[in-house]
Amino acid sequence: MYEAPVVGEAGAVVLDALAVQEELRLVIPFEAKSGANVDAKQARKYAALTIRDVARSHTLPFRDGTMMPVFGFLAEHEERVRLGLSEAEIEPACLVIGPSKVSLDVPPGTPLGGFEVDVDGPPPGIVTIDADSSHEELQEVLLPQVVAAAARGEDGTTLATLLQSAVPTFQFTGRRARNQMLKKAFKALAAASKRDLADLFVVEPGGREIDVGIVRILRSPASFKPQGETQGWQAVRRRATKALRGKAPDQPSRQLTFEDLARAADSGENED
């Protein structure tokens, strides 16, 4: 789960990710660091969490086990992050991501072993859209989903359905973060529908039974006569590109997949 809220003895904290390894009876609260600074108070909240704390808010397949907080950060910030963790007087596992190597260092007594693997590309981007993403970023992933729904001849769909299709991690995200994404998605698509794609779809608030917002398809080129359908889709494509300000999604070259990383870690070929 992503953006998972938990309340522990040291206070409430929203975990960037929460993973469970059932065979090892292991619970992993994960903090992803984009920079070099460590919030000591937040770090101590991670370290103080117990299985019982997590179980109060999230379903676990076991009642007792081991907690192993993990802090993930870029290799270029390693020295400062480790210093910050030391000053906070905690010793979590550390996932260090570099341009040519990824390593996991674990403290003594944890059931999960560490690893070190050589890599030939940047780490995979899994959570590319989240509650902090801009309206423009949401438009970029949601407009193609709206056009796809129109192509299928659908009369409409919900914002939640569009987000689930465009953002694979949406359904595994905490409720508060999901609601933030839904609100942003409503504003992002409403702006596009009023500006460049007004005759294709409209965004409406949900009612008593559906409270997540509705995208209603007004007119689809799929319903045009054969001689006009191609031109209709070309026009939709042009206007969708205009709505996105002509921006195409960035595709990092030679980006690794998690399957690549997992195979490298399992093979042991890159271990010292």
Side-chain angles (χ1 to χ4, degrees), residues 2 28 45 53 64 67-68 80 100 113 127 153-154 172 174-175 183-184 197 202 213 246 260:
Y2 302 95
I28 302 175
K45 290 179 181 180
D53 294 334
D64 57 2
M67 294 289 294
M68 191 182 83
R80 287 185 60 187
S100 60
V127 186
E154 296 179 11
F172 304 112
R175 183 181 295 109
K183 290 178 181 178
K184 284 190 175 182
L197 296 165
V202 64
D260 294 333

Side-chain angles (χ1 to χ4, degrees), residues 166-220:
V167 186
T169 56
F170 176 76
Q171 61 185 320
F172 304 112
T173 300
R175 183 181 295 109
R176 181 177 179 181
R178 285 202 308 271
N179 288 337
Q180 291 175 338
M181 292 174 69
L182 285 166
K183 290 178 181 178
K184 284 190 175 182
F186 186 99
K187 292 181 179 179
L189 288 181
S193 69
K194 293 174 182 177
R195 187 178 61 241
D196 300 302
L197 296 165
D199 62 340
L200 179 65
F201 71 96
V202 64
V203 186
E204 302 173 343
R208 180 176 300 176
E209 298 297 326
I210 302 177
D211 59 0
V212 295
I214 301 295
V215 174
R216 186 158 56 90
I217 307 298
L218 300 176
R219 185 168 178 258
S220 170

Side-chain angles (χ1 to χ4, degrees), residues 37 41 69 73 93 117 122 202 250:
N37 296 324
K41 184 177 180 180
F73 47 87
V117 296
V202 64
D250 293 332

Side-chain angles (χ1 to χ4, degrees), residues 249-270:
D250 293 332
Q251 295 293 335
S253 60
R254 301 188 67 191
Q255 187 177 53
L256 291 173
T257 65
F258 270 110
E259 289 76 11
D260 294 333
L261 188 57
R263 281 195 293 269
D266 289 341
S267 69
E269 293 177 357
N270 294 304

Side-chain angles (χ1 to χ4, degrees), residues 238-254:
R238 286 195 300 270
R239 284 182 287 138
T241 301
K242 181 181 177 183
L244 295 173
R245 300 296 185 264
K247 179 183 177 183
D250 293 332
Q251 295 293 335
S253 60
R254 301 188 67 191

